[in-house]
Structures are given as C-alpha cells and as structure tokens.
Amino acid sequence: YEQSAQKYLCKRQSVKNGNGALPSMRVLRFFLFISKGVLLLTAMTTILWLTAVVILGCVLFQRLSGKVGVPALLFFILLGMFFGTDGVVKISFDNFELAQNVCSVALLFIMFYGGFGTNVRSARPVAAQAVLLSSVGTVLTAGLVGVFCHFVLGVALWESFLIGAVISSTDAASVFSVLRSRHLNLKYHTASLLEVESGSNDPFSYMLTTIVLSVMHGGSSGGQFAAMLAAQIGYGVLFGVVLALAARWVLGRFRFSAGFDAVFAVAVALLSYVLPEMLGANGYLSVYLTGMILGNSRIPNKSGLVHFFDAATALMQMVLFFLLGLLAFPSQLPRIAPRALLIALFLTFVARPAVVALLLTPFRAPLRQQLLVSWSGLRGAASIVFAIMATMHPAVMQNDVFHIVFFIVLFSVLLQGTCLPRVAAKLGMTDDGADVMKTFTDYVDEVPVQFIRFSLPEGHPWAGQAVRQVVLPPESILVLVLRGDRRIVPDGSVQLQAGDTLILSGTAAGAVEGVHLYEKTLDADSSWLDQPLCRIHTGDRLVILVRRGGQILIPDGGTVLRLGDRLVINDPQSKS
C-alpha cells in the first residue's frame, strides 16, 4: 500500500489537477488508512488466535508429560519448533533481539519465583554445599568445558570458554519442574541442595558470559576485569537485599486492595533486575536474592502471592521455551550435532561429576548422593538465553553458539530430565517419608480450616467471663479478639467484653451429605415478604444467611424478611 501511494504521488505530479483522471489525495489517504486498519486488525486477531492455541497446547502437554515421564518443558520447545520456520506451520521468526528481550523478562520472573520458593530453613543443612556448587562449581564447569572445546575440538580459546560459560549453570525451571511434577522426595536434603544450586547459579553463569564476551570484544585489562567482577556481585547483592527489605516493610505496613499486593511484587521484581543492570551489575543475582528474602519473610497474603506467581511463572515458562523453539532452525542441527553431542557427553559424564565429587567429598556426602546430584545437572532456558545474548554481541565467533547450546539443552532435558526419577530410585535416594513440596517456601498446605466471626451483644453469657471459663463449640478454638482498634491474641486470662468481635477457627467439613445451598431473592410477589422467619413454613428448608444491601445477617426466628433480601437456603432434599 505504501509503494502504491508513492507511485500515485509520482504520477499525480505529471497530471494536471483539472482533468479529473485521478482521485483526490484525501480519498486515497482515507482508503489507505482503512486498509491499514483492516490489516492490523487481522494481524492482531491472528496473533491472539495463535497465542491461545499455543497456550492450550502447552497446558495439554503439561498434563501429558506426567503420564509419559518426559518433562513438559521439552514439549514446549518442540511445539515452538513445530510452529517455526523449519516446522509445519512455518512462522518465519529470526528476530534475536526481540527474543532476547522477551526471554529476559520471562527469565527474571522465573528466577524471582525460584528465589521466592527457596526455603532457607530446609536448605540450611546443605547451604554450604549448595553455595559452593552454584559459585565455584559453575566456574569450574565452565573452565573444564572450555578446555575440552579448545584442546579436543579445536575451537578458539575464548570462544571455547564462552561455550563453557553459557552452559555452566543448571536450570532452575527444569529442575523444579521435574521435582514438583513427579513429587520426587530425596534423601539427605538433596532436593533442597538442588533447589538452591539451580536457583542461584544462573547469575554466576551470566556473569561469566558477560566477562568472556567483554574480553573477546575489547580485551579488558586485569583492573577492568576485577572492577567488572566486583560490580557484578557487589551491586547485585546490594540492590537485591535493599529492595527486598524495603518491599517487606511496605507489604507489612500497608494493606493493599485485592490483588494489588501481587502487582506491587511484580514491580519490585522488575526493579530488582533493572536497577542493577543500569549500573552494569548482575540483575539476575539481585532478582533472585529479592525473591528469596521475600519468600522467607512473614508477609500478609503470602498464599495469594504464591498462587499468582505460580500461574505467572508457568505462563512465563511456556512463553520462554516456546519462543526458544520458535527461534531455532532444526535444519541447522545436523550440521552442529557431532560437535554439540561431544560437548553434551563430556559435560554430563565428565565435567559435572568431577566438579560435584571435588566439592561434595570434603562434606562426606554419600557416593549415591553425589551421583544423583551429578545426574541432576539439567541445562535449560537460561543457557539458551545467554546463547542469544552471545549471538547478539558484536564479538566475532566462528561457531553457531546458539544452535550448539540449543542441542545440548535438548539432550539434557530429554535424557537427564526423563531418567531422573529412575536414577533416583536405582540409587536408593527416594524418601517416601518426606514431602518434596515442603522444601519450597511457596508450598501451600491445604489445611481444612474455616473461621467464624461474630460479635458479643449486651447481656451475652460470655460477656465478662475469662476465656478459660467459656465453653466453645467442639473442635474449635478462639484465635483472635477484636476490641475497637485492638487485636488481642487471647490466652485463658483474657476477659471478654460486650461488643468484642470473636474469631473462632475449626475444621472445615468440605462437602457434607444433606447440605445443598441455593440463593433466593425476595421480590414484591413473595409470600415471605415482611414476615418473621418463625411464621414462615419452609418445610425441610432452612434459611441460613440473609444478604441485605452490604450487610450479612445470620437469621433467627425473629428476623423479618424485606424486599430485595437475598436468602441463602439449605434444601437437604435437593439433588443439585
């Protein structure tokens, strides 16, 4: 359309205005505007339709993965390849810059939630081992892979270390996915060890990748190298801790409307990544620390934040792995497969086990634990995102780093991720007496508890009595007394007063046979209108609640029903 308009303008200059042979420019601009609008609307509709199809496909594959024993993240990648340029749908997509931006946002949310779910208390017995694996272990893994690539495969020295740096970290999303989806309970606090290691080593891999790329591009001096390292770690830790403490203070001090505490947490996660990055620091380290401090703090509505970030992170994982699959060209994989396979085999069976043995043996870790930790070194999205960053960097490279890393990730997720439960069982590392979900702070135990709130009127038998003298309903406990602006946590000596609001808790019954609730709104024709409940014949039905405007009334026989009242009625004979 733009080309046609340009041709029209050129032609119009050569034709006199008075001959009427050509339409006016206003008409042309109008039709051009309408045409562009239709094209944009059609494109947007197509994008939304494809998005819905992809998400539904990912959800179905998530259900399927548990039955076939293959990690769902592998299905997400394969689905992206199916839609990609070399796939069946053939969506042409090779925008590495867009992919890097989208994947970086998705990865920061995954890392924030990974930190949020890191249970410091459960991880304390293996904290030293986990920190060593995530820091020194990442550096050693990168070095061993770099040496292998240079001296065995003949790759240039710094490019060899770049490949090692990119794939040096284990992937939190992959490890968490396998542990949670298979409820893999492990002995010797191994689940906590893997959780902390995989959640915290991505920042070190990112730091190594950044430093190697800087050396390849500009040849940084020793002083610049040291300053870069100090800024990466120092500012990353500083911003992560300060922002987490500030966010914890705000969440504890102010009460947010429904859902806005989650919106606030999203803003904190974004800031904890962006602010360090603006100063050349490690944003991933900052965002992980922010999530970990918040996740291990007592903050209001924590279960609501868990449910929100659980869903948001699941969506981010779908987007991330699908986009990485969409960006890949399967036709390029056979060309790099021999070299990538050798690197994957060396990483899985030599480098990772050697590093784990070196770092865990001084802690007298059992051999079977070392073998399982070695096998659990899954590579994933973070490595591919860092490979995209390397591809976008102006540093000159002789190898297709992106597809090499992509192949290694496919190999790792398919082989290690699929076989991890079997390897754990073979090594006798499964623990049926533990619950792996409780190693995460975002675990929400479904405790069957319900609360009852009521106020003591004047003359109530409980008014003026101590809590120890009050006979509460069976299987219930008084958890809070609200007296004006005061919140009193009661003990046996607390004296109850008229006007107090009491909060009782008891076991929730769940579904109960014979309890079938429905609502009825009183209109002008109702025979119940302006009648007290004691004079209304309801048969087996019982009015258990009355909604009147903004009020909720627990009725008794003297409650008079009014126009517009919404009644909640139990009908034990109902089959609905």
Side-chain angles (χ1 to χ4, degrees):
Y1 282 101
E2 291 178 356
Q3 292 175 356
S4 299
Q6 292 296 332
K7 291 180 180 179
Y8 174 81
L9 290 174
C10 294
K11 187 175 181 180
R12 184 177 178 81
Q13 292 176 358
S14 62
V15 178
K16 292 183 179 180
N17 294 335
N19 60 12
L22 295 175
S24 67
M25 283 299 297
R26 290 184 178 179
V27 174
L28 179 65
R29 288 196 183 102
F30 174 76
F31 281 106
L32 184 61
F33 174 78
I34 295 298
S35 300
K36 283 188 174 182
V38 172
L39 288 175
L40 287 173
L41 182 61
T42 303
M44 181 60 68
T45 303
T46 303
I47 291 173
L48 293 176
W49 178 82
L50 284 174
T51 301
V53 170
V54 169
I55 292 176
L56 288 175
C58 290
V59 172
L60 292 176
F61 282 137
Q62 174 74 28
R63 298 285 297 174
L64 180 63
S65 67
K67 296 181 179 180
V68 299
V70 177
L73 305 180
L74 179 63
F75 283 119
F76 301 162
I77 293 178
L78 295 178
L79 188 64
M81 296 170 69
F82 174 83
F83 278 86
T85 303
D86 286 352
V88 176
V89 181
K90 296 190 180 301
I91 296 177
S92 180
F93 182 76
D94 58 357
N95 192 332
F96 279 82
E97 183 176 2
L98 175 62
Q100 182 186 9
N101 293 332
V102 175
C103 290
S104 296
V105 173
L107 188 59
L108 79 87
F109 277 102
I110 292 173
M111 294 195 66
F112 176 83
Y113 193 50
F116 196 93
T118 299
N119 192 326
V120 174
R121 181 176 299 177
S122 298
R124 189 171 291 131
V126 291
Q129 299 94 306
V131 171
L132 279 176
L133 283 173
S134 66
S135 54
V136 178
T138 301
V139 175
L140 291 178
T141 301
L144 288 175
V145 173
V147 169
F148 175 79
C149 290
H150 180 64
F151 290 100
V152 177
L153 301 182
V155 181
L157 180 62
W158 284 110
E159 191 169 343
S160 297
F161 286 114
L162 175 64
I163 295 174
V166 168
I167 63 172
S168 60
S169 67
T170 58
D171 187 66
S174 302
V175 173
F176 292 175
S177 175
V178 174
L179 291 178
R180 294 180 187 224
S181 64
R182 305 301 295 273
H183 283 263
L184 199 56
N185 311 316
L186 304 175
K187 296 179 179 179
Y188 311 123
H189 302 282
T190 305
S192 294
L193 173 64
L194 296 174
E195 171 203 357
V196 176
E197 183 210 3
S198 61
S200 60
N201 61 9
D202 287 342
F204 290 94
S205 178
Y206 172 75
M207 180 177 62
L208 290 175
T209 303
T210 303
I211 292 174
V212 172
L213 286 173
S214 177
V215 172
M216 291 177 64
H217 183 56
S220 301
S221 64
Q224 291 174 326
F225 177 86
M228 185 184 306
L229 185 62
Q232 283 276 322
I233 298 177
Y235 284 125
V237 172
L238 177 63
F239 276 100
V241 172
V242 171
L243 284 172
L245 294 178
R248 184 174 68 181
W249 182 83
V250 172
L251 288 170
R253 182 80 177 235
F254 301 99
R255 293 293 177 264
F256 292 89
S257 301
F260 277 87
D261 52 348
V263 175
F264 174 78
V266 169
V268 171
L270 294 175
L271 284 175
S272 64
Y273 173 80
V274 171
L275 293 180
E277 286 289 327
M278 293 173 63
L279 296 177
N282 196 323
Y284 292 115
L285 177 60
S286 173
V287 77
Y288 178 78
L289 286 175
T290 301
M292 184 175 66
I293 293 174
L294 286 179
N296 287 273
S297 301
R298 291 185 177 181
I299 53 180
N301 193 30
K302 190 174 182 180
S303 61
L305 293 177
V306 166
H307 292 310
F308 172 80
F309 278 105
D310 201 24
T313 305
L315 181 60
M316 291 298 175
Q317 288 179 3
M318 293 178 189
V319 171
L320 183 79
F321 282 89
F322 173 81
L323 192 59
L324 295 177
L326 188 67
L327 189 63
F329 288 80
S331 60
Q332 301 294 322
L333 295 180
R335 181 175 56 84
I336 54 90
R339 176 168 290 184
L341 179 60
L342 290 174
I343 298 173
L345 292 173
F346 176 81
L347 174 65
T348 305
F349 296 102
V350 180
R352 171 73 176 178
V355 170
V356 169
L358 178 65
L359 297 180
L360 294 189
T361 299
F363 293 93
R364 298 181 179 180
L367 178 60
R368 55 180 177 166
Q369 183 187 27
Q370 294 185 30
L371 292 174
L372 183 61
V373 171
S374 299
W375 188 259
S376 302
L378 280 74
R379 315 295 145 166
S383 296
I384 304 179
V385 173
F386 299 155
I388 294 175
M389 183 177 72
T391 303
M392 294 289 298
H393 199 272
V396 177
M397 286 172 282
Q398 303 299 321
N399 291 273
D400 187 354
V401 174
F402 172 77
H403 281 97
I404 289 176
V405 173
F406 188 86
F407 183 95
I408 294 172
V409 169
L410 286 179
F411 175 89
S412 178
V413 175
L414 180 60
L415 179 64
Q416 295 172 272
T418 302
C419 298
L420 181 55
R422 300 173 189 171
V423 172
K426 283 287 186 181
L427 293 173
M429 283 292 294
T430 56
D431 185 1
D432 296 331
D435 186 352
V436 70
M437 300 303 290
K438 292 186 178 180
T439 67
F440 302 98
T441 61
D442 58 356
Y443 170 68
V444 180
D445 198 359
E446 296 297 334
V447 181
V449 174
Q450 63 183 357
F451 296 95
I452 300 174
R453 173 180 179 144
F454 64 93
S455 297
L456 293 184
E458 291 287 348
H460 193 280
W462 291 2
Q465 293 194 26
V467 170
R468 70 169 67 94
Q469 299 172 315
V470 173
V471 180
L472 297 174
E475 297 185 5
S476 66
I477 185 173
L478 180 60
V479 296
L480 191 65
V481 177
L482 304 179
R483 182 175 297 163
D485 295 331
R486 296 176 59 194
R487 296 170 179 264
I488 303 172
V489 178
D491 56 26
S493 63
V494 171
Q495 296 284 332
L496 302 180
Q497 300 177 8
D500 284 351
T501 298
L502 310 184
I503 310 295
L504 275 68
S505 72
T507 56
V512 178
E513 182 68 24
V515 177
H516 302 281
L517 304 181
Y518 70 96
E519 280 195 1
K520 175 180 178 179
T521 301
L522 293 187
D523 55 27
D525 298 328
S526 175
S527 60
W528 293 5
L529 194 62
D530 297 326
Q531 298 289 327
L533 282 175
C534 62
R535 296 184 182 178
I536 299 174
H537 178 68
T538 59
D540 292 332
R541 294 174 295 175
L542 177 66
V543 178
I544 64 172
L545 186 142
V546 177
R547 297 178 182 269
R548 180 174 295 164
Q551 292 182 305
I552 296 180
L553 308 176
I554 303 299
D556 56 26
T559 301
V560 178
L561 303 182
R562 299 177 183 174
L563 180 66
D565 282 352
R566 292 167 60 193
L567 313 180
V568 178
I569 302 172
N570 175 40
D571 184 358
Q573 304 303 321
S574 174
K575 302 300 182 183
S576 59

